[in-house]
Amino acid sequence: MAGSQGPAQRLLGAGKRLLSSLLATGETRLRLAVLELEEERARLVTIALLAGLSLILLLLGLGTLTTLIIVVFWESHRLTAIGASAAVLLLGGMLLAAWVMRMARQRTLLASTLKHLALDRELVEKHRDSDH
């Protein structure tokens, strides 16, 4: 009967298996979080570079267009041309700022990790409730 195990040994073995399973699940979730952070960092760097370049090009284009409009209407309606150009630029800037603020409020960081952790919690709670 050397191969048989007592209740304490079975309980200890089950505890070790449970701990091993919890550690493996935790490691998987941590790896997922790290991967998401790396992807998010790369995406943010790309967005920042493209946004900076597009801003430079837009500013140059708007400056040139504004100058052209003012020069065309210099003799007849210079103040109207300056005011209209300023109003269009300010309105466009405010609309873009509102759009950027709305995008900035969206939460995407670690969304997949949080979703999987919530699923894990639900499964543990369901399993715990079924044991009672």
Side-chain angles (χ1 to χ4, degrees), residues 65-132:
L65 180 64
T66 302
T67 304
L68 174 67
I69 291 171
I70 292 170
V71 167
V72 166
F73 292 104
W74 187 258
E75 294 300 322
S76 58
H77 299 29
R78 89 183 96 190
L79 293 178
T80 305
I82 292 171
S85 297
V88 167
L89 292 174
L90 288 172
L91 179 64
M94 287 187 291
L95 291 175
L96 284 174
W99 183 40
V100 167
M101 292 300 291
R102 190 180 74 216
M103 286 178 60
R105 287 187 185 114
Q106 294 175 349
R107 295 177 188 234
T108 59
L109 187 62
L110 299 177
S112 182
T113 298
L114 294 174
K115 183 180 87 174
H116 281 89
L117 287 173
L119 180 63
D120 290 346
R121 186 184 65 243
E122 288 176 19
L123 291 173
V124 167
E125 287 174 358
K126 187 189 327 181
H127 182 55
R128 183 186 63 198
D129 291 341
S130 68
D131 285 345
H132 286 27

Side-chain angles (χ1 to χ4, degrees), residues 37 39 85:
L37 286 172
E39 288 176 354
S85 297

